[in-house]
Amino acid sequence: MISIKSEREIELMRQAGHINYLTHEELKKHIKPGIRTEQLDKIAHDFIMKHDAYPSCLGYEGFPKSICISINDEVVHGIPGKRKLKEHDVVSIDFTVRYKGYESDAARTYIVGSAPKEIEDLVTNTYLALQEGLSKVKSGAKIGDISCAIEKFARLHHLGVVKDLVGHGIGTNMHEEPDVPNFGIANTGITLKEGMTIAIEPMLTLGKEEVCLTDQDDWVIVTEDESPSAHFEHTVLVTKDGYEILTGE
Ligand code: MF3
Ligand code: CO
Ligand code: CO
């Protein structure tokens, strides 16, 4: 069952999304060579708690930290720890914020300092792939319209499209129906309706699409060919004529 949110629920999701946005803005100031990923985790944890919200990755199926930080060939679910950011690293930060029972989910990818042009382009084009997907969202459109737009854009730029992980519905749970894949065929899949809330999240690589777990821990997912990857995500509300980004400014 895909839930349609009431006006009251939408307002709570806006608030959850806004705290998520503010937390990303706070973290952005600290993305510098030398900072340990566990320091970023603490900054986010304290910031979210201070806003009377909860960093709902913490404890989710046993995830041990408040945010996911995935570096270079790590695609998603990197666990913050002693590792220090260094110049040229590609750093994806992804987390959920729960406020009064409602979830918000957003991810951004940064380059520490600068990087070779093809890596800068990977990050820019993953951001633009999310915009392509968003542009298809409106009541009456199909999930496949979003999927197809993201895949087309990624392929045009010769990027790998991670297929093992997908976007999703979101509400009182972090992950709800429907799945929102980053590949597919236009005009297929379920029809979007006003009041649905979904997380769209392209994960693209500079190489092949295959990903796997490592023997490091049960969480971090890396590219099989060790190519760098990028990830952008927004939680959005489907409206009559388009969409409202809930995790934006
Ligand atoms: N934020 C992730 C998503 O985009 C899920 C986080 S997994 C967790 O769906 F274990 F960290 F919670
Ligand atoms: Co996320
Ligand atoms: Co998500």
Side-chain angles (χ1 to χ4, degrees):
M1 240 282 285
I2 302 170
S3 62
I4 301 291
K5 273 76 180 175
S6 66
E7 203 35 64
R8 184 195 75 90
E9 291 180 290
I10 290 167
E11 190 46 41
L12 291 173
M13 290 202 62
R14 277 193 191 105
Q15 290 171 13
H18 189 60
I19 299 167
N20 191 309
Y21 166 79
L22 293 175
T23 310
H24 271 290
E25 288 295 295
E26 179 61 29
L27 285 169
K28 185 164 83 175
K29 301 178 197 160
H30 299 274
I31 310 285
K32 289 187 186 126
I35 191 158
R36 291 187 198 277
T37 53
E38 66 185 10
Q39 291 177 276
L40 294 170
D41 179 75
K42 183 171 178 355
I43 290 164
H45 179 94
D46 294 350
F47 190 90
I48 293 165
M49 297 296 276
K50 202 178 74 192
H51 285 79
D52 295 321
Y54 185 76
S56 45
C57 287
L58 183 62
Y60 178 83
E61 291 183 11
F63 191 78
K65 293 284 180 179
S66 298
I67 63 175
C68 301
I69 306 181
S70 311
I71 303 175
N72 300 331
D73 62 326
E74 298 176 350
V75 183
V76 287
H77 304 166
I79 301 176
K82 300 276 172 232
R83 184 168 177 179
K84 286 180 181 171
L85 300 189
K86 57 180 198 316
E87 182 79 17
H88 310 322
D89 275 345
V90 182
V91 183
S92 299
I93 299 188
D94 179 19
F95 56 87
T96 50
V97 170
R98 185 165 64 228
Y99 182 72
K100 296 192 176 164
Y102 286 84
E103 299 280 353
S104 60
D105 191 0
R108 301 183 187 182
T109 298
Y110 299 97
I111 288 171
V112 183
S114 65
K117 184 170 185 308
E118 59 169 4
I119 293 182
E120 301 267 1
D121 289 348
L122 163 72
V123 175
T124 305
N125 287 325
T126 307
Y127 172 80
L128 293 174
L130 172 57
Q131 309 309 310
E132 286 289 311
L134 287 171
S135 74
K136 302 295 174 191
V137 178
K138 66 171 181 189
S139 178
K142 303 247 164 89
I143 288 285
D145 299 343
I146 303 171
S147 305
C148 179
I150 292 172
E151 181 176 21
K152 260 198 190 147
F153 187 83
R155 301 226 179 273
L156 185 68
H157 294 278
H158 310 288
L159 298 172
V161 179
V162 175
K163 296 206 173 97
D164 289 356
L165 299 147
V166 295
H168 47 90
I170 178 166
T172 50
N173 294 297
M174 180 191 303
H175 296 135
E176 299 185 355
E177 284 180 69
D179 279 356
V180 185
N182 297 305
F183 61 96
I185 300 163
N187 208 23
T188 65
I190 68 113
T191 303
L192 297 173
K193 292 199 180 72
E194 214 177 326
M196 286 181 183
T197 45
I198 55 175
I200 305 177
E201 49 179 316
M203 288 151 270
L204 305 181
T205 81
L206 209 47
K208 301 211 175 101
E209 66 184 49
E210 284 79 15
V211 297
C212 56
L213 281 165
T214 67
D215 44 22
Q216 251 174 55
D217 59 59
D218 294 336
W219 281 100
V220 66
I221 292 174
V222 298
T223 54
E224 249 178 48
D225 63 5
E226 298 182 1
S227 61
S229 76
H231 180 202
F232 283 88
E233 175 175 31
H234 269 313
T235 298
V236 298
L237 167 71
V238 179
T239 64
K240 186 164 161 288
D241 303 310
Y243 59 93
E244 178 184 331
I245 296 179
L246 301 178
T247 43
E249 214 162 324

